[in-house]
Each structure stands twice: as structure tokens, then as C-alpha cells.
Amino acid sequence: MKYGLIKVAAAIPGVRVADVENNVLQMESLLAQAEGRGAELIVFPELSMTGYCCQDLFRQQLLLDKAEEGLLTLLDFTRKLDIIAVVGVPVRIGTLLYNCAAVIQHGTLLGVVPKTYLPNYNEFYEKRWFASAADLQPQEIYLAGSPVHVSAEPLLFRTCDGVAFGVEICEDVWAPLPPSNTLALAGADIIVNLSASNELIGKHRYLCSLLAQQSARTMCGYVYSSSGFGESTQDVVYGGNALVFENGRLLAKSERFALEPQLQLAQIDVERLRSERQNNTTFRTAQDGASARVVDAKPVAPRDFELIREVNAHPFIPAQADMAEACEEILNIQTMGLCKRLQHTHCDKAVIGISGGLDSTLALLVTVRAFDRLRLSRKGILGITMPGFGTTDRTHKNAVLLMSALGVSQREISIAKAVTQHFEDIGHDAAVHDVTYENSQARERTQILMDVANQVGGMVIGTGDLSELALGWCTYNGDHMSMYGVNAGVPKTLVQYLIRYIAENAQAPTLNKLLFDVIDTPISPELTPADSEGNIQQKTEDLVGPYELHDFFLYYFLRHGFRPAKIFVLAQKAFDGKYDDNTLRHWLQTFCRRFFNQQFKRSCMPDGPKVGSVSLSPRGDWRMPSDAANALWLKECESL
């Protein structure tokens, strides 16, 4: 299981009802294709050996005998294949017939799982032919020449890499208490479902929602294969659904109503799923007492690794289809957080340092929304520009125009004279543009904001974002400090998208144009002098690296606890053609070094609202000693 990933396949063979030989050939073809493409587990539809629609033919001994022979043929076919197959087959146990899933590998029948919930309503009449797993007494039977234990108890199959999967059949997942609940709590990383679900208006949408929710609720991978073309259309039609979900997210899907056999492959990140379960105390509590019988699969030969998953280069950014709704939700979270703080403190004044950059622009926009929501005058918002040694005309102009466009109060206080005097007081050469030179300006600005807030009875609104907190790209007790940080849960890449969303929906053309210019301005603290032409010379991303990379690293490091080697492989896929391996390796190492070294700034950060699944608040999601060693992470980075 390289990097915690397992490749799975959902197959839809072109069956013919009651034609076992044809169906076996169809499955053999898809088995060979899947194994050739590196799949480790393949799932076929319900009763794929015979076809689901045999109806009273299931009472024909010839058909049942041929189904068992077909299973024997399929077992023999898998002897030299490194793949586990789950096949639908009718199985006689004693005097009863069961709708079963047979799990086979390397010519061995690993186990048989009977269906629990038999639909017997509307177009379904399964109880006419089959018995439920609930009726089964534990016993050993011979099937396709192999002894196998059968019972109603939960059964898990474990691959040689330690991935556990459980089986349920069609209606099982539609039940109020699906077997997959018990299987997942007992340790199943993946649930496979062999299905024969017919098509009805609106049913497909509900099915996808059901599977997404079930995989999310049980925090598992879910591989679903349902009957397609070839099944009887006497009264219903089967569209053929091969679907793979991972914790609520759709990884792969087939074409519905296709006339040809289909094979859908996907990689399920088992390590990611286990990380979710480990972090979720509710899941751990529900696991108490859950158990299942475990069957170990055979060892397989090592195989070459290929990452076939789609990897989002910007995991913090909402999908384009959901952009408007997601942006409004984020802005409302920020706005409501500030509303509560203002109301609680009986404060009708807010003080913000406006630089003309991304973060202060978003903070001002959120503050305006909060004041509007509380029906407070925007004049109670005091935006302060504090030009210094590195302030450019472009950012200063944008800051002033932004405040004018939003109708807030304005004030300008130059920090040059105060900082120059400070340099004299501490004996620092102003020609030396070192960390003292830079941080003195940041702390002077914070002092001004705090003191003016005291002067007007207001609250200093913090502008620093999540990415800056992760990298420690903020001056301790400077821009690091405020009375409420509205951007603390928003990473830099998302800040840009939020401002873009507001710009695209701004009713005033002036504000629209202004916000787009803010987005296009290079990110900079402007703490060193501009170049000879007055342009920004100190560009943050030249110094600490591209924010889109650091946000990517942060997401997988914090959200899933991935090690550098895995993050590196995911980044290679996500940024293929944009950054080479040396660049990725360099900035990943920078991230690991800075993240550990800068924890002390996060340990005492101001209050601020959590926005997404990742937060660095020491009171909420992230608790880490400030003196933790980063040697393990840096050593792995060096070995990449």
C-alpha cells in the first residue's frame, strides 16, 4: 500500500440472463484488464454469475449447478492474477438458497457473504427465491470444491498490506441499519457493494447521495457496482452504475445506460481515512464492542506505483460550482464572529490598519459587513494608513480609495519619524535593512492602532491570515497582535478568491476595479524601500515561497497528518508542469522548518473565527509545544 493508497475497480460486465458461460467470460476479461492496470480489488454486480433477473429460474438445479461451476472456472482463472475479486453468485446452503458475494483470490475462495436485507416490495420479490443472512446458522460448506465457513456474523477481509474491507449487497445499504455500519466500526477501511438497482426517475440522484453520506458517516471508501446492459428489461431497466466514494467524495463513476462493459478504477487513500477516524472521537466511541471475524488474503507481488487520483492544487478553494454559496458562507462566518465580539464588548468603533494589500482589504470588507448587519454607522470604522519606508504609491492610493469607496472614516499617520527616532534610541543604523529594521516598523504600526483604539474607544481588527500564521510570517507583538483577528482561519489563496468574489459582485464599478487591482498587486509587507521606479521590491513569495504551495502543504500536513514524502508525491501530481521537483522539495523543507520554529507565535494568537476544516488556534484545533523538534520532518525532506 504505497503512500497509503489502494487501487480498486468497479466492473460492469455485459451479462446475459441465465448464461453462466458468457458471464464468466465477461468477468474474466474485466478481471484481466483491472489486474493489468494495477487494481488490487475488483467488485462485480449482484448475482453477476447468473444475471440478477433469473426469477423462478433460480429454482432450476441446472442453473445453480452451472453457477457453482462458473465460480470454479473463475477461481482457476485467478490463480496467476494478483487481484482480489468479489463476485455475485447464488449459493445453496442446506435447503435454502442465498444471494451471496464470493470473495476470491489466487484460486482460493476466501469467503462467502450472504445478503441480509431482501427487498420484497414493489418490483422486487427476492424472498420468493432467497433466504436472508439472518436465517443462516454458522456452518462449514463446500462450494466450488473449497471448504468455507458461512454465518451471519460480520466478516472482514484483510489484504497483505493490512487494508480491511467488508461486503454488503444492494438493499443492505438502503436499510435503516446497514451492515456497513458494523463493518466500518469493526475496522473495515473499504466497503464493497454488489448491487442490481434498477433505474427510476430521481433514483440515481438519491443513490449517489445515499452512498456519499454512508461513506462519509462511516469514514470509509465505498466501491459500488450495479447491473447494467444485458439484464432483463421485461419490467425494469438497469443503467449500470460503477461508483467509488471516499468519505463522501466521489472519486469515479461510470457512464449510465452504456451498451458496453465498463471498468472504473480509483485510488482510495486508506491512510487519509484512518487519520479521519483517529481524530474523530465520536467514531472511536461508537467502535466500542464492534467486532468481526477476519479472513486474511494471500500475499501479492510488489507492483509499480502510479498516482491516478486527481489532486486539487488549491484544496482550500471551493469548487467552482459552489463558489458563490461557499464564499457567502465564509464571509458570514467572519462577519458573525465580529458581530458577536462587537456586541459583547458594547463597542461601536473599529480600528484597522489599511495597507492596500489583500489581508487588510478583506478585513475591512468583513468589518463593513458586520457594521451594516448591526446597523452601525460605517463612520465608526476608522481605517488608518501608516506609510513607512517601503510604502509604494500604488498600495497607498488603493488603501485611500478603498476607504473612500466604502464610506469609512480615514486617518493617515506616517511612521517614518517615529521609527527613525526609535532607531536612534536603540542605536540601530537605518541603512541596515535587517529584521530589526523591518520589525520596528510593524510594531510601531501596531502601537499606533492599539493606542488610537484606546483613544476612540474602539477595537483593533486583526488582518493576518492562516497562511502567515503557519509560516510565522508576522512580527511577534506587531501585526501578529489585535483584539480580534477576522482572517485567522482564512488561508492566503482563499483570501484572494473571497476578494475576487466580492469584486465580481460589487455594484459599484469603482470598487470593482479597485479590488481587482488589489488582487493583482504583488504580496509584500512593504518594510524595505521600493525600487528606483517606485515599485514593490520586497515580494513575500520570493522570500518564503509561493503561497499556493504552502497552503497545499499546510492542508495535507495539518488536516491529514501526512508525512513529507506523501505530501511531495501529491504536490508532484497537483503542480505537474508548474513547479519542478527541486522547487517543490525546497519549499516543502522551508514549510517544515518554519512551521515548527514559529509555533510560539500561534501559542498566544488573538481570538478569531474558525472558517474551514483547518485551524491553528491554540484553543481549538492545534496544540503543539513551541519547542518541538523538526528533525524528523527535515530529514525526510532531505531524502526526497
Side-chain angles (χ1 to χ4, degrees):
M1 190 171 58
K2 192 75 170 177
Y3 300 111
L5 299 164
I6 180 173
K7 190 179 290 186
V8 299
I12 305 174
V15 302
R16 290 174 61 187
V17 179
D19 189 344
V20 174
E21 289 183 3
N22 169 80
N23 300 342
V24 169
L25 288 173
Q26 288 283 330
M27 288 189 283
E28 286 178 345
S29 174
L30 292 171
L31 258 171
Q33 291 178 48
E35 200 260 359
R37 293 169 62 182
E40 299 159 75
L41 173 66
I42 184 171
V43 184
F44 290 98
E46 182 178 10
L47 294 169
S48 47
M49 186 66 69
T50 57
Y52 177 76
C53 300
C54 291
Q55 299 186 36
D56 283 354
L57 291 177
F58 282 123
R59 293 176 175 171
Q60 292 290 313
Q61 295 304 310
L62 178 60
L63 180 66
L64 299 180
D65 288 344
K66 285 297 181 183
E68 187 170 358
E69 290 176 19
L71 181 60
L72 186 60
T73 302
L74 209 56
L75 278 165
D76 188 60
F77 183 79
T78 64
R79 290 186 188 281
K80 295 183 179 180
L81 298 180
D82 275 334
I83 188 169
I84 300 172
V86 189
V87 180
V89 60
V91 176
R92 287 173 293 195
I93 303 176
T95 59
L96 299 177
L97 184 66
Y98 292 85
N99 178 347
C100 294
V103 182
I104 61 179
Q105 181 203 29
H106 284 179
T108 301
L109 181 60
L110 297 178
V112 171
V113 179
K115 186 173 182 177
T116 300
Y117 296 99
L118 303 176
N120 217 63
Y121 54 88
N122 298 336
E123 63 267 37
F124 298 107
Y125 292 90
E126 283 193 36
K127 288 185 179 181
R128 180 178 176 91
W129 311 294
F130 300 108
S132 166
D135 302 324
L136 182 60
Q137 295 298 315
Q139 57 190 286
E140 187 172 275
I141 65 170
Y142 275 83
L143 179 64
S146 301
V148 61
H149 179 83
V150 293
S151 72
E153 68 178 323
L155 182 61
L156 292 183
F157 300 88
R158 185 165 56 198
T159 72
C160 62
D161 289 324
V163 178
F165 70 91
V167 181
E168 61 185 4
I169 303 175
C170 199
E171 184 79 4
D172 289 346
V173 75
W174 299 75
L177 291 173
S180 49
N181 287 7
T182 302
L183 293 167
L185 292 173
D189 303 297
I190 296 171
I191 301 297
V192 303
N193 186 312
L194 300 78
S195 184
S197 185
N198 62 305
E199 299 293 339
L200 298 171
I201 296 173
K203 186 177 181 180
H204 178 73
R205 179 178 296 178
Y206 183 86
L207 170 68
C208 290
S209 174
L210 176 69
L211 299 183
Q213 284 295 321
Q214 185 64 3
S215 72
R217 184 177 295 107
T218 56
M219 298 183 186
C220 71
Y222 203 99
V223 188
Y224 178 91
S225 175
S226 183
S227 303
F229 188 74
E231 286 287 359
S232 172
T233 57
Q234 178 176 330
D235 291 303
V236 294
V237 170
Y238 298 87
N241 282 300
L243 302 164
V244 182
F245 288 88
E246 178 187 288
N247 197 18
R249 175 189 170 205
L250 179 64
L251 299 184
K253 66 176 181 178
S254 61
E255 176 190 348
R256 293 173 68 206
F257 305 112
L259 302 184
E260 301 299 325
Q262 295 194 72
L263 184 67
Q264 288 295 319
L265 275 73
Q267 275 174 327
I268 293 175
D269 194 334
V270 174
E271 184 178 66
R272 182 172 181 167
L273 294 169
R274 290 175 178 174
S275 170
E276 293 283 354
R277 290 179 176 182
Q278 179 182 334
N279 185 57
N280 191 297
T281 56
T282 301
F283 187 91
R284 297 206 308 268
T285 301
Q287 282 185 296
D288 290 346
S291 62
R293 185 165 60 90
V294 178
V295 175
D296 286 310
K298 307 280 186 185
V300 297
R303 63 188 80 208
D304 294 334
F305 175 77
E306 177 193 9
L307 183 62
I308 65 170
R309 284 170 65 96
E310 290 296 321
V311 181
N312 184 1
H314 304 106
F316 288 111
I317 306 302
Q320 194 62 42
D322 306 323
M323 180 62 73
E325 181 181 354
C327 286
E328 281 297 328
E329 189 170 34
I330 293 164
L331 290 167
N332 281 332
I333 290 171
Q334 292 178 277
T335 300
M336 294 302 288
L338 182 55
C339 282
K340 170 63 178 177
R341 185 54 56 99
L342 290 167
Q343 190 179 66
H344 176 73
T345 55
H346 305 289
C347 184
D348 60 0
K349 300 286 193 303
V351 178
I352 314 179
I354 308 298
S355 67
L358 289 168
D359 292 342
S360 65
T361 295
L362 179 60
L364 180 58
L365 291 167
V366 168
T367 304
V368 166
R369 286 170 66 107
F371 269 62
D372 290 350
R373 185 71 65 88
L374 293 172
R375 294 184 173 84
L376 298 174
S377 170
R378 291 189 182 184
K379 290 301 180 181
I381 303 171
L382 176 55
I384 304 180
T385 54
M386 295 168 283
F389 305 130
T391 303
T392 61
D393 290 341
R394 180 181 184 180
T395 55
H396 180 263
K397 179 181 177 182
N398 282 343
V400 172
L401 291 176
L402 180 64
M403 291 186 286
S404 297
L406 294 173
V408 304
S409 300
Q410 299 183 47
R411 193 168 171 185
E412 183 166 310
I413 303 172
S414 172
I415 65 169
K417 184 176 180 181
V419 174
T420 299
Q421 178 61 52
H422 180 61
F423 287 160
E424 292 179 10
D425 293 341
I426 66 174
H428 180 75
D429 184 354
V432 178
H433 299 166
D434 59 4
V435 67
T436 304
Y437 180 89
E438 295 185 16
N439 286 350
S440 294
Q441 297 174 69
R443 292 195 180 98
E444 175 60 28
R445 287 184 170 122
T446 299
Q447 176 178 251
I448 289 172
L449 294 174
M450 291 289 183
D451 290 345
V452 170
N454 291 158
Q455 189 180 58
V456 301
M459 176 187 298
V460 175
I461 308 302
T463 62
D465 63 50
L466 182 67
S467 305
E468 293 180 343
L469 287 166
L471 296 171
W473 192 248
C474 50
T475 299
Y476 191 74
N477 205 35
D479 54 332
H480 161 262
M481 193 52 60
S482 68
M483 295 169 184
Y484 195 71
V486 293
N487 294 338
V490 186
K492 188 75 76 177
T493 50
L494 185 53
V495 170
Q496 293 173 316
Y497 271 79
L498 288 171
I499 295 176
R500 186 180 302 277
Y501 165 75
I502 295 172
E504 290 173 347
N505 292 276
Q507 300 299 316
T510 302
L511 182 60
N512 174 287
K513 182 179 179 181
L514 182 60
L515 292 178
F516 276 117
D517 193 59
V518 170
I519 293 170
D520 292 336
T521 303
I523 300 170
S524 172
E526 294 191 314
L527 296 174
T528 59
D531 63 20
S532 58
E533 297 180 357
N535 297 317
I536 293 173
Q537 184 168 254
Q538 184 188 30
K539 297 179 181 179
T540 298
E541 292 182 293
D542 291 345
L543 301 171
V544 297
Y547 272 115
E548 66 174 351
L549 284 183
H550 286 306
D551 283 359
F552 183 90
F553 301 152
L554 175 65
Y555 179 83
Y556 287 106
F557 177 86
L558 211 62
R559 181 74 174 82
H560 302 296
F562 288 169
R563 60 193 299 164
K566 183 167 183 177
I567 296 175
F568 179 69
V569 168
L570 294 175
Q572 286 177 309
K573 177 79 171 182
F575 297 101
D576 183 33
K578 187 168 186 179
Y579 299 106
D580 60 30
D581 287 356
N582 287 333
T583 301
L584 294 175
R585 186 183 303 110
H586 172 74
W587 293 123
L588 179 56
Q589 191 168 13
T590 297
F591 173 84
C592 291
R593 175 177 53 80
R594 293 192 66 98
F595 187 87
F596 277 81
N597 292 349
Q598 302 297 316
Q599 173 61 29
F600 73 100
K601 294 180 182 178
R602 299 188 288 269
S603 294
C604 59
M605 60 182 276
D607 290 356
K610 178 178 179 178
V611 167
S613 60
V614 171
S615 169
L616 286 169
S617 168
R619 299 165 296 275
D621 289 49
W622 188 248
R623 297 164 181 83
M624 171 184 166
S626 300
D627 49 5
N630 57 17
L632 289 176
W633 289 263
L634 292 179
K635 185 176 181 180
E636 181 156 298
C637 286
E638 291 167 3
S639 70
L640 295 175

